[in-house]
Amino acid sequence: MTPPPDTAPDPAHSTTGSTTFSAAAWTASAVTREAIDALPFVRGLGDGSLDRDRFVYYLAQDAHYLEDYARALATAAVMAETVDDLAFFAGSARDSILVERDLHRRHVGDIARHPASPTCLAYTSYLLGVAHTQGYPELVAALLPCFWIYSDVGTRLLERAGALQGHPYADWIGMYADESFTAATSTARAIADRVAAGAGEPTLRRMHAAFARATTFEWMFWDAAWRRETWPS
Protein backbone atom coordinates (compact mmCIF):
# COMPACT_ATOMS: atom_id res chain seq x y z
CA MET A 1 0.00 0.00 0.00
CA THR A 2 1.09 3.58 -0.65
CA PRO A 3 2.12 5.24 2.63
CA PRO A 4 0.32 8.43 3.68
CA PRO A 5 2.17 11.76 3.53
CA ASP A 6 4.37 12.59 6.50
CA THR A 7 3.14 16.16 7.01
CA ALA A 8 3.12 18.66 9.84
CA PRO A 9 1.31 22.01 10.16
CA ASP A 10 3.05 25.36 10.17
CA PRO A 11 3.30 26.21 13.88
CA ALA A 12 2.95 29.89 13.08
CA HIS A 13 -0.64 29.15 12.05
CA SER A 14 -1.46 26.21 14.32
CA THR A 15 -0.72 27.27 17.87
CA THR A 16 -2.25 30.70 17.96
CA GLY A 17 -5.50 31.77 19.58
CA SER A 18 -7.45 28.87 21.04
CA THR A 19 -5.76 26.14 18.95
CA THR A 20 -3.55 23.88 21.02
CA PHE A 21 -0.55 21.94 19.80
CA SER A 22 -2.35 18.62 20.09
CA ALA A 23 -5.45 19.85 18.26
CA ALA A 24 -3.36 21.23 15.40
CA ALA A 25 -1.21 18.11 15.18
CA TRP A 26 -4.27 15.86 15.22
CA THR A 27 -5.94 17.84 12.45
CA ALA A 28 -2.78 17.75 10.35
CA SER A 29 -2.59 13.97 10.74
CA ALA A 30 -6.09 13.38 9.34
CA VAL A 31 -4.90 11.80 6.08
CA THR A 32 -2.58 9.43 7.90
CA ARG A 33 -5.27 8.48 10.41
CA GLU A 34 -7.74 7.79 7.60
CA ALA A 35 -5.08 5.58 6.01
CA ILE A 36 -4.73 3.71 9.31
CA ASP A 37 -8.47 3.10 9.42
CA ALA A 38 -8.34 1.76 5.85
CA LEU A 39 -5.58 -0.77 6.57
CA PRO A 40 -6.78 -4.37 6.14
CA PHE A 41 -5.08 -5.24 9.43
CA VAL A 42 -7.10 -2.66 11.37
CA ARG A 43 -10.36 -3.55 9.60
CA GLY A 44 -9.80 -7.24 10.27
CA LEU A 45 -8.88 -6.56 13.88
CA GLY A 46 -12.15 -4.71 14.35
CA ASP A 47 -14.51 -7.23 12.77
CA GLY A 48 -12.59 -10.27 14.02
CA SER A 49 -11.68 -11.58 10.56
CA LEU A 50 -7.94 -10.94 10.96
CA ASP A 51 -5.79 -14.04 10.42
CA ARG A 52 -4.47 -15.41 13.68
CA ASP A 53 -0.92 -15.61 12.29
CA ARG A 54 -0.95 -11.93 11.45
CA PHE A 55 -2.18 -11.03 14.93
CA VAL A 56 0.53 -13.14 16.57
CA TYR A 57 3.15 -11.53 14.33
CA TYR A 58 1.86 -8.08 15.28
CA LEU A 59 1.87 -8.77 19.01
CA ALA A 60 5.40 -10.16 18.87
CA GLN A 61 6.54 -6.97 17.14
CA ASP A 62 4.58 -4.90 19.64
CA ALA A 63 6.42 -6.64 22.48
CA HIS A 64 9.76 -5.68 20.94
CA TYR A 65 8.51 -2.16 20.30
CA LEU A 66 7.31 -1.65 23.87
CA GLU A 67 10.70 -2.52 25.34
CA ASP A 68 12.27 0.49 23.65
CA TYR A 69 9.14 2.61 23.95
CA ALA A 70 9.42 2.09 27.70
CA ARG A 71 13.02 3.28 27.56
CA ALA A 72 11.91 6.42 25.71
CA LEU A 73 9.17 6.98 28.29
CA ALA A 74 11.71 6.53 31.08
CA THR A 75 13.95 9.09 29.40
CA ALA A 76 11.00 11.50 29.31
CA ALA A 77 10.60 10.92 33.05
CA VAL A 78 14.26 11.85 33.58
CA MET A 79 13.83 14.98 31.46
CA ALA A 80 10.45 15.90 32.98
CA GLU A 81 9.88 19.52 33.91
CA THR A 82 7.48 18.80 36.79
CA VAL A 83 7.06 16.09 39.41
CA ASP A 84 3.66 15.24 37.94
CA ASP A 85 5.22 14.71 34.50
CA LEU A 86 7.92 12.54 36.05
CA ALA A 87 5.32 10.37 37.79
CA PHE A 88 3.24 10.05 34.63
CA PHE A 89 6.07 9.00 32.32
CA ALA A 90 7.68 6.70 34.87
CA GLY A 91 4.32 5.03 35.49
CA SER A 92 3.66 4.74 31.75
CA ALA A 93 7.05 3.10 31.24
CA ARG A 94 6.21 0.54 33.90
CA ASP A 95 2.72 -0.12 32.55
CA SER A 96 3.91 -0.55 28.98
CA ILE A 97 6.03 -3.49 30.11
CA LEU A 98 4.02 -5.10 32.92
CA VAL A 99 0.42 -4.58 31.83
CA GLU A 100 0.71 -5.15 28.10
CA ARG A 101 3.23 -7.99 28.50
CA ASP A 102 0.43 -10.22 29.77
CA LEU A 103 -1.46 -9.72 26.51
CA HIS A 104 1.62 -10.67 24.51
CA ARG A 105 2.27 -13.79 26.55
CA ARG A 106 -1.32 -15.01 26.23
CA HIS A 107 -1.25 -14.82 22.45
CA VAL A 108 2.39 -15.24 21.45
CA GLY A 109 4.23 -17.24 24.07
CA ASP A 110 7.96 -17.08 23.40
CA ILE A 111 8.62 -13.60 22.01
CA ALA A 112 12.28 -14.45 21.39
CA ARG A 113 11.24 -16.70 18.49
CA HIS A 114 10.16 -13.59 16.58
CA PRO A 115 12.97 -11.13 15.69
CA ALA A 116 12.16 -7.44 15.54
CA SER A 117 11.12 -6.41 12.03
CA PRO A 118 12.75 -3.63 9.99
CA THR A 119 9.78 -1.34 10.66
CA CYS A 120 9.78 -2.09 14.37
CA LEU A 121 13.49 -1.34 14.62
CA ALA A 122 13.11 1.83 12.55
CA TYR A 123 10.29 3.14 14.77
CA THR A 124 12.03 2.42 18.06
CA SER A 125 15.33 3.76 16.75
CA TYR A 126 13.54 6.97 15.79
CA LEU A 127 12.00 7.37 19.25
CA LEU A 128 15.28 6.66 21.03
CA GLY A 129 17.04 9.03 18.65
CA VAL A 130 14.65 11.82 19.61
CA ALA A 131 15.10 10.90 23.27
CA HIS A 132 18.86 11.25 23.11
CA THR A 133 19.39 14.04 20.56
CA GLN A 134 16.46 16.42 21.07
CA GLY A 135 14.71 18.11 23.97
CA TYR A 136 11.83 17.30 26.26
CA PRO A 137 9.16 19.00 24.08
CA GLU A 138 10.18 17.04 20.99
CA LEU A 139 10.24 13.76 22.90
CA VAL A 140 6.80 14.37 24.40
CA ALA A 141 5.45 15.04 20.89
CA ALA A 142 7.07 11.89 19.48
CA LEU A 143 5.62 9.72 22.26
CA LEU A 144 2.08 11.09 22.01
CA PRO A 145 0.86 9.26 18.86
CA CYS A 146 1.34 5.83 20.45
CA PHE A 147 -1.05 6.88 23.20
CA TRP A 148 -3.53 8.74 21.06
CA ILE A 149 -3.71 6.59 17.92
CA TYR A 150 -4.26 3.44 19.96
CA SER A 151 -6.86 5.07 22.17
CA ASP A 152 -8.69 6.44 19.14
CA VAL A 153 -8.61 3.18 17.18
CA GLY A 154 -9.51 1.05 20.19
CA THR A 155 -12.44 3.26 21.16
CA ARG A 156 -13.91 3.34 17.68
CA LEU A 157 -13.45 -0.41 17.15
CA LEU A 158 -15.32 -1.00 20.40
CA GLU A 159 -18.15 1.28 19.27
CA ARG A 160 -18.49 -0.69 16.03
CA ALA A 161 -18.16 -4.11 17.63
CA GLY A 162 -20.56 -3.42 20.48
CA ALA A 163 -20.50 -6.32 22.94
CA LEU A 164 -17.12 -8.04 22.76
CA GLN A 165 -18.36 -11.41 23.95
CA GLY A 166 -17.01 -14.02 21.56
CA HIS A 167 -14.82 -11.54 19.66
CA PRO A 168 -11.41 -13.16 19.00
CA TYR A 169 -9.55 -9.94 19.77
CA ALA A 170 -11.72 -8.68 22.60
CA ASP A 171 -8.78 -8.36 25.01
CA TRP A 172 -6.85 -6.10 22.61
CA ILE A 173 -9.83 -3.85 21.86
CA GLY A 174 -10.83 -3.75 25.51
CA MET A 175 -7.34 -2.73 26.64
CA TYR A 176 -7.07 0.28 24.35
CA ALA A 177 -10.70 1.34 24.66
CA ASP A 178 -10.45 1.25 28.46
CA GLU A 179 -11.16 4.45 30.38
CA SER A 180 -7.77 4.28 32.11
CA PHE A 181 -5.97 4.34 28.76
CA THR A 182 -8.18 7.21 27.61
CA ALA A 183 -7.21 9.10 30.76
CA ALA A 184 -3.51 8.43 30.16
CA THR A 185 -3.88 9.75 26.63
CA SER A 186 -5.52 12.92 27.93
CA THR A 187 -2.62 13.44 30.33
CA ALA A 188 -0.06 12.96 27.56
CA ARG A 189 -1.94 15.51 25.43
CA ALA A 190 -2.07 18.01 28.28
CA ILE A 191 1.67 17.72 28.85
CA ALA A 192 2.38 18.25 25.15
CA ASP A 193 0.08 21.27 25.04
CA ARG A 194 1.69 22.79 28.12
CA VAL A 195 5.27 22.46 26.90
CA ALA A 196 4.26 23.66 23.42
CA ALA A 197 2.66 26.77 24.90
CA GLY A 198 6.01 27.81 26.31
CA ALA A 199 8.09 26.85 23.28
CA GLY A 200 9.51 29.04 20.54
CA GLU A 201 8.71 28.51 16.87
CA PRO A 202 11.79 26.33 16.08
CA THR A 203 10.87 23.96 18.90
CA LEU A 204 7.23 23.91 17.80
CA ARG A 205 8.29 22.97 14.29
CA ARG A 206 10.31 20.07 15.65
CA MET A 207 7.40 19.00 17.87
CA HIS A 208 5.01 18.93 14.93
CA ALA A 209 7.55 17.07 12.80
CA ALA A 210 8.03 14.50 15.57
CA PHE A 211 4.28 13.97 15.99
CA ALA A 212 3.80 13.60 12.22
CA ARG A 213 6.71 11.17 11.86
CA ALA A 214 5.58 8.98 14.77
CA THR A 215 2.03 8.92 13.40
CA THR A 216 3.35 7.73 10.04
CA PHE A 217 5.31 5.02 11.85
CA GLU A 218 2.03 3.87 13.43
CA TRP A 219 0.63 3.33 9.93
CA MET A 220 3.83 1.55 8.88
CA PHE A 221 3.73 -0.72 11.94
CA TRP A 222 0.26 -2.08 11.20
CA ASP A 223 0.98 -2.30 7.48
CA ALA A 224 4.12 -4.32 8.22
CA ALA A 225 2.09 -6.67 10.43
CA TRP A 226 -0.36 -7.32 7.59
CA ARG A 227 2.56 -8.13 5.26
CA ARG A 228 4.39 -10.06 8.00
CA GLU A 229 7.47 -8.11 7.04
CA THR A 230 10.81 -9.92 7.17
CA TRP A 231 14.43 -8.96 6.75
CA PRO A 232 16.01 -9.51 3.30
CA SER A 233 17.77 -12.87 3.17
Side-chain angles (χ1 to χ4, degrees), residues 55-90:
F55 187 66
V56 169
Y57 173 98
Y58 157 76
L59 281 185
Q61 297 307 314
D62 194 46
H64 289 301
Y65 167 84
L66 286 173
E67 289 183 13
D68 282 338
Y69 186 65
R71 292 184 174 93
L73 288 165
T75 303
V78 172
M79 300 168 72
E81 298 174 347
T82 71
V83 172
D84 286 343
D85 288 12
L86 189 161
F88 171 74
F89 284 118

Side-chain angles (χ1 to χ4, degrees), residues 46 94 103 133-134 183 191 204 225:
R94 178 184 183 278
L103 178 67
T133 65
Q134 298 192 45
I191 293 171
L204 282 173

Side-chain angles (χ1 to χ4, degrees), residues 153-176:
V153 169
T155 298
R156 287 186 293 106
L157 291 186
L158 178 61
E159 290 172 351
R160 294 171 192 166
L164 291 176
Q165 184 176 1
H167 195 293
Y169 306 120
D171 50 358
W172 189 96
I173 295 173
M175 174 177 289
Y176 294 110

Side-chain angles (χ1 to χ4, degrees), residues 46-154:
D47 63 22
S49 65
L50 181 67
D51 294 343
R52 183 73 183 173
D53 288 347
R54 285 188 166 100
F55 187 66
V56 169
Y57 173 98
Y58 157 76
L59 281 185
Q61 297 307 314
D62 194 46
H64 289 301
Y65 167 84
L66 286 173
E67 289 183 13
D68 282 338
Y69 186 65
R71 292 184 174 93
L73 288 165
T75 303
V78 172
M79 300 168 72
E81 298 174 347
T82 71
V83 172
D84 286 343
D85 288 12
L86 189 161
F88 171 74
F89 284 118
S92 296
R94 178 184 183 278
D95 289 346
S96 69
I97 296 299
L98 297 183
V99 176
E100 298 184 51
R101 183 169 59 185
D102 289 339
L103 178 67
H104 300 141
R105 285 176 172 170
R106 285 197 302 272
H107 290 277
V108 182
D110 184 9
I111 303 296
R113 294 188 299 107
H114 304 269
S117 70
T119 295
C120 179
L121 182 60
Y123 192 1
T124 58
S125 296
Y126 172 70
L127 291 176
L128 292 173
V130 173
H132 293 287
T133 65
Q134 298 192 45
Y136 183 59
E138 294 90 342
L139 179 55
V140 167
L143 293 170
L144 180 55
C146 189
F147 283 98
W148 204 351
I149 295 293
Y150 271 60
S151 177
D152 178 64
V153 169

